[in-house]
């Protein structure tokens, strides 16, 4: 029974970042519990790209292999559960999962990721990660040179348009309502043959997540093969904030160069801490976290 066991480290989130931290700590002989609610942000994506040695594999394949490798280390335990609470104690922290079970730990790592907030456009959520895309470096190559849209307005639209134009010349910006771009910005986009459509969107017509048409409120439609969007987000877990970890104005857990949050003994890594949202970066930050947590544990006892 896991209950009441004292761990060196509890890692919350057992996706790429949490598992990378776990591997480093397992190799450092630390007793680690990884608690994961198995709800990663990219779960709907059929193929994950741009992660060396695993390019094109499904997110599940990558994470299953990672879990198998991490569990080879006998001091690592993996628990499928949702963390619902945590408090500071004299020796570290006590955390609680939804069944009421609690676990004590010297250090805490949050690798809990973020939750994208879908717009209320029917069809959008079904296409997310399949043909409605967050990042051209992850999925742009697969839809290169195709009829592509960007769903954005204002500064975000002006930032995304040049970026996405790297992958296709057939690009339209859908502002879904009156454009808030400046005249200068509009002129620059038009100079690069990027059309701007302000008509309000009714829904996305799609088959199994593959977008076919944008349907507008006025009844017209526009065919597209891919649509890019940058969504607002919230922290996947509110517990870091409840424990006092500072959140940046952008909405990320504030960390230093050693992945330490603003609360002593709590570390964070992966999407919950950075805009640089890739599997490779999540793994890199996780590995660094594992090393830094172990270093702190050594320094406290040596
Ligand atoms: C649609 C989409 C497609 C993407 N495609 C690519 C791609 O092709 N290539 C690429 O490099 N990157 C891609 N990314 C980015 C990549 O998926 C993320 O950077 C990466 O998943 C971040 O890893 P993470 O471990 O920080 O967070 P996540 O993978 O989101 O995992 C967080 C984990 O924490 C768990 N968790 C959260 N709260 C709790 C709690 N309270 N208790 C227990 N567990 C909890 C969740 O269940 C989840 O398992 C994509 C992202 C999205 C959204």
């Amino acid at each position: 029974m896991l209950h009441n066991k004292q761990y060196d480290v509890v890692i919350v989130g057992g996706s790429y970042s949490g598992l990378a931290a776990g591997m480093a700590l397992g190799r450092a002989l630390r007793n680690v519990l990884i608690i994961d609610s198995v709800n990663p942000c990219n779960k709907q994506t059929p193929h994950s790209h741009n992660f060396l040695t695993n390019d094109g594999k499904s997110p599940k394949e990558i994470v299953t292999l990672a879990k198998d490798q991490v569990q080879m280390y006998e001091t690592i335990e993996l628990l499928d559960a949702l963390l619902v609470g945590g408090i500071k104690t004299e020796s570290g922290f006590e955390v609680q999962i939804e069944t009421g079970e609690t676990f004590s730990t010297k250090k805490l790592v949050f690798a809990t990721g973020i939750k994208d907030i879908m717009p209320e456009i029917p069809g959008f959520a079904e296409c997310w990660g399949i043909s409605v895309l967050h990042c051209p470096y992850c999925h742009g190559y697969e839809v290169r040179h195709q009829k592509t849209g960007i769903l954005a307005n204002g500064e975000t639209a002006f930032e995304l348009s040049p970026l996405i134009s790297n992958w296709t010349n057939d690009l339209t910006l859908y502002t879904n309502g009156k454009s808030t771009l400046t005249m200068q910005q509009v002129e620059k986009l038009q100079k690069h043959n990027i059309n701007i459509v302000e008509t309000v969107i009714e829904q996305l017509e799609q088959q199994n997540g593959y977008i076919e048409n944008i349907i507008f409120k006025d009844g017209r439609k526009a065919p597209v093969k891919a649509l890019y969007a940058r969504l607002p987000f919230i922290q996947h877990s509110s517990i870091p904030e409840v424990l006092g970890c500072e959140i940046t104005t952008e909405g990320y857990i504030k960390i230093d160069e050693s992945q330490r949050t603003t609360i002593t003994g709590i570390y964070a890594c992966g999407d919950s801490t950075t805009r640089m949202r890739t599997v490779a970066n999540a793994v890199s930050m996780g590995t660094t976290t594992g090393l830094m947590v172990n270093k702190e544990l050594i320094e406290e006892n040596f």
Side-chain angles (χ1 to χ4, degrees), residues 12-19 35-45 47-51 59 81-84 110-114 116 128-130 132 134-135 137-139 236-239 269-272 276-283:
V12 191
S15 182
Y16 313 101
S17 209
L19 289 168
I35 301 173
D36 185 32
S37 57
V38 199
N39 190 17
C41 63
N42 64 347
K43 57 181 181 288
Q44 202 167 274
T45 298
H47 305 285
S48 177
H49 289 281
N50 222 2
F51 180 38
L82 181 73
L83 191 88
V84 293
F110 284 98
T112 35
I114 55 171
D116 299 297
W128 182 239
I130 301 170
V132 174
H134 82 297
C135 163
Y137 294 101
C138 298
H139 304 289
H236 200 148
S237 170
S238 58
I239 297 166
C269 51
D271 275 13
S272 62
M276 295 302 283
R277 196 180 193 188
T278 63
V279 172
N281 196 38
V283 168

Side-chain angles (χ1 to χ4, degrees), residues 152-158 173-186 189 196-198:
N153 207 345
E155 286 306 319
T156 305
F158 193 64
L173 174 64
Y174 297 96
T175 55
N176 193 22
K178 202 163 171 36
S179 161
T180 55
L181 292 153
T182 64
M183 274 313 291
Q184 266 177 330
Q185 290 173 330
V186 169
L189 295 188
I196 302 171
V197 174
E198 297 180 281

Side-chain angles (χ1 to χ4, degrees), residues 121-241:
I121 299 174
F124 187 99
E126 289 84 341
C127 295
W128 182 239
I130 301 170
S131 58
V132 174
L133 309 170
H134 82 297
C135 163
Y137 294 101
C138 298
H139 304 289
Y141 185 85
E142 282 62 44
V143 290
R144 64 195 180 278
H145 312 316
Q146 306 224 26
K147 195 173 254 318
T148 299
I150 298 172
L151 175 60
N153 207 345
E155 286 306 319
T156 305
F158 193 64
E159 192 191 319
L160 277 178
S161 298
L163 177 69
I164 307 303
S165 74
N166 181 72
W167 281 267
T168 183
N169 292 326
D170 194 347
L171 190 56
T172 304
L173 174 64
Y174 297 96
T175 55
N176 193 22
K178 202 163 171 36
S179 161
T180 55
L181 292 153
T182 64
M183 274 313 291
Q184 266 177 330
Q185 290 173 330
V186 169
E187 275 166 26
K188 186 134 192 212
L189 295 188
Q190 283 170 345
K191 212 173 110 197
H192 287 86
N193 295 322
I194 299 171
N195 270 332
I196 302 171
V197 174
E198 297 180 281
T199 321
V200 176
I201 295 170
E202 170 83 25
Q203 62 165 301
L204 305 185
E205 201 171 61
Q206 52 88 30
Q207 291 285 339
N208 302 319
Y210 290 92
I211 188 168
E212 292 173 346
N213 290 294
I214 299 173
I215 312 285
F216 299 100
K217 282 248 193 282
D218 65 8
R220 282 181 299 157
K221 55 165 92 171
V224 280
K225 286 282 182 199
L227 182 69
Y228 286 89
R230 184 175 294 159
L231 300 188
F233 69 90
I234 54 167
Q235 284 288 322
H236 200 148
S237 170
S238 58
I239 297 166
E241 204 175 349

